[in-house]
Amino acid sequence: GIPFGHQTPVHIEPGQTLQVQVGGTGCLIQGRLVLSDPNRKVDWSTQTWSADLFTKFPRIEPPRDLDASQRQEWLRDFWQSDKGRALSRSGRSFPLEIKPDGSFTVEDVPPGAYELRVTLYGTPVDRTIPMPAYRPIASISQDITVPEPSEDPSTQSLDLGTLTLCAQ
């Protein structure tokens, strides 16, 4: 449940001092969530359990000539390999800070391909109750590309506009 957006591995030798910048170089992403049913009242900040921006990984495809059991073994081996572990470690998750009106921001997102996922529930979410106790009423999954930064400070912000969650 704790977001892990910034990873800055460092190695400090005994007796040395090291200055490290964690974050502060990414893009501010903003937008507004709306429900496909405009007549339904929603408090976005209390009715969402998860609202995050996730690293979008490339699709991992086993060789086509494998049967189902061999494909499963190939995938297991891939994710246990150095390449698979490196890919897994490169994943990031950034939580959306959602206000009651549906407006949101995500701060300090590095360039790359992401997937924005939000699930809205019919009632305010009590985080002490397990998830299956809630029934989702709407969701969205949308690909987002954060561009490389430029010299122009205005490009350090990406406005996604209005995103409509489809009722389930």
Side-chain angles (χ1 to χ4, degrees):
I2 299 172
F4 52 93
H6 296 284
Q7 301 170 13
T8 308
V10 296
H11 177 79
I12 303 171
E13 293 293 333
Q16 288 186 330
T17 301
L18 182 65
Q19 184 174 4
V20 178
Q21 177 174 336
V22 178
T25 59
C27 182
L28 170 70
I29 298 176
Q30 56 195 355
R32 186 164 182 268
L33 303 170
V34 297
L35 191 56
S36 57
D37 177 359
N39 298 318
R40 185 164 188 162
K41 298 288 184 211
V42 174
D43 180 342
W44 292 92
S45 60
T46 64
Q47 288 179 241
T48 54
W49 177 278
S50 64
D52 299 278
L53 194 62
F54 296 94
T55 300
K56 186 162 180 78
F57 289 119
R59 187 168 174 86
I60 306 301
E61 287 290 336
R64 294 186 183 272
D65 60 341
L66 303 179
D67 65 28
S69 175
Q70 292 169 323
R71 288 174 60 87
Q72 187 176 16
E73 183 178 347
W74 187 95
L75 284 167
R76 186 187 67 242
D77 290 346
F78 172 80
W79 288 111
Q80 292 177 357
S81 72
D82 289 342
K83 185 177 179 180
R85 287 185 176 134
L87 181 61
S88 181
R89 281 191 304 270
S90 71
R92 297 178 179 184
S93 171
F94 299 89
L96 275 64
E97 296 177 32
I98 304 176
K99 295 181 179 158
D101 69 352
S103 61
F104 67 87
T105 58
V106 186
E107 295 185 16
D108 208 17
V109 180
Y114 296 91
E115 182 181 356
L116 180 137
R117 285 185 261 169
V118 178
T119 303
L120 179 71
Y121 295 87
T123 59
V125 175
D126 176 353
R127 298 197 182 276
T128 63
I129 297 174
M131 268 313 291
Y134 295 98
R135 187 178 68 80
I137 61 169
S139 64
I140 189 171
S141 175
Q142 181 169 325
D143 290 347
I144 306 292
T145 300
V146 176
E148 292 289 334
S150 71
E151 298 296 320
D152 181 0
S154 68
T155 62
Q156 293 299 97
S157 177
L158 178 61
D159 188 344
L160 301 178
T162 301
L163 305 174
T164 303
L165 276 74
C166 298
Q168 296 183 344

